[in-house]
Amino acid sequence: SDQCLLDDGRRGKPHVHEFFRLLALCHTVMPEDKEGELEYQAQSPDENALVSSARNFGFVFTKRTPRSITITFNGVEEVYELLCILDFNNVRKRMSVILRKDGKIRLYSKGADTVIFERLKPGQEELKVKTQDHLDKFALDGLRTLVLGTRDLTEQEFNDWKDAHHQAAISDHSQREERLDAVYNQIEKDLDLLGATT
């Protein structure tokens, strides 16, 4: 219902496109073809709502395999190689995906304002203040919120991190979650703030 957002999206503003691209890519939703209609199966109503919102703005999540996520935008299919899912839990209060497309690796992250704000790259104070104002208004209306951030990674950064991630993933069960959280923290940092959702 936000005409400004629709207009900015149509004008091709890159940060608006990245905002909706993140919503269409950073989730654990499964798409289903029901008699020619695309429907989403989500673990929570919130996830379903966010993916559906991206769809309403033209970023349509269409397919998931164990190694890829596919969306379409303006009739053009975009296939992303899925490198890693950094799962949500109640301690982390965020989830991320790491994807590769056209040789570029990007981390997309969404989570509670407190955990995302403390992981932002320096120098975004003005945007952070504006976003906090929006979050405060949403909270007054009793709405639940998420903050979105992204970060580009070099191949070397990702490969170094992937080795550490693998070691944590195969560690003893009693330490695995703690070690994975520590490894996730290493890469979920220096984020560029994209905005907030309700």
Side-chain angles (χ1 to χ4, degrees):
S1 63
D2 188 331
Q3 192 60 45
C4 285
L5 209 47
L6 281 165
D7 292 343
D8 283 349
R10 288 190 186 117
R11 288 188 199 107
K13 291 203 169 177
H15 63 280
V16 175
H17 283 187
E18 269 308 90
F19 181 91
F20 288 110
R21 196 169 268 117
L22 186 152
L23 292 182
L25 293 166
C26 184
H27 54 75
T28 57
V29 175
M30 292 298 293
E32 255 185 52
D33 191 325
K34 290 245 177 109
E35 297 170 10
E37 289 289 314
L38 184 63
E39 290 187 13
Y40 296 135
Q41 303 300 317
Q43 290 176 337
S44 74
D46 290 356
E47 279 230 299
N48 199 328
L50 294 172
V51 175
S52 297
S53 295
R55 179 182 182 172
N56 292 339
F57 281 88
F59 291 83
V60 185
F61 165 56
T62 57
K63 187 178 176 189
R64 174 189 292 280
T65 74
R67 292 178 169 266
S68 71
I69 298 176
T70 303
I71 66 172
T72 61
F73 175 59
N74 280 342
V76 178
E77 192 172 76
E78 300 178 8
V79 182
Y80 294 79
E81 182 185 354
L82 177 59
L83 300 175
C84 195
I85 295 176
L86 288 63
D87 292 318
F88 176 90
N89 67 35
N90 289 330
V91 176
R92 283 171 41 72
K93 295 182 182 170
R94 64 190 183 279
M95 82 157 287
S96 302
V97 292
I98 302 174
L99 304 168
R100 182 191 280 122
K101 185 173 185 298
D102 301 329
K104 291 182 180 165
I105 300 175
R106 180 163 287 177
L107 177 139
Y108 292 97
S109 194
K110 67 181 185 190
D113 53 359
T114 50
V115 296
I116 300 295
F117 279 164
E118 68 188 18
R119 286 166 174 77
L120 294 178
K121 187 166 63 181
Q124 303 179 80
E125 285 312 308
E126 194 178 329
L127 182 56
K128 192 173 163 184
V129 167
K130 272 187 189 173
T131 303
Q132 188 62 60
D133 283 347
H134 292 152
L135 289 167
D136 293 343
K137 284 175 189 154
F138 297 152
L140 283 173
D141 292 336
L143 298 169
R144 289 158 53 147
T145 58
L146 285 175
V147 173
L148 313 182
T150 185
R151 175 186 177 203
D152 288 328
L153 304 169
T154 66
E155 199 76 38
Q156 186 66 54
E157 275 177 310
F158 174 71
N159 286 333
D160 290 347
W161 178 83
K162 189 170 72 171
D163 289 342
H165 177 260
H166 177 70
Q167 291 306 314
I170 63 170
S171 61
D172 181 74
H173 182 72
S174 63
Q175 297 179 320
R176 188 176 304 136
E177 196 156 322
E178 196 177 309
R179 287 189 65 184
L180 279 171
D181 278 356
V183 169
Y184 291 168
N185 275 326
Q186 290 171 18
I187 202 142
E188 291 171 318
K189 63 179 185 181
D190 295 331
L191 301 175
D192 289 312
L193 177 61
L194 285 178
T197 74
T198 58

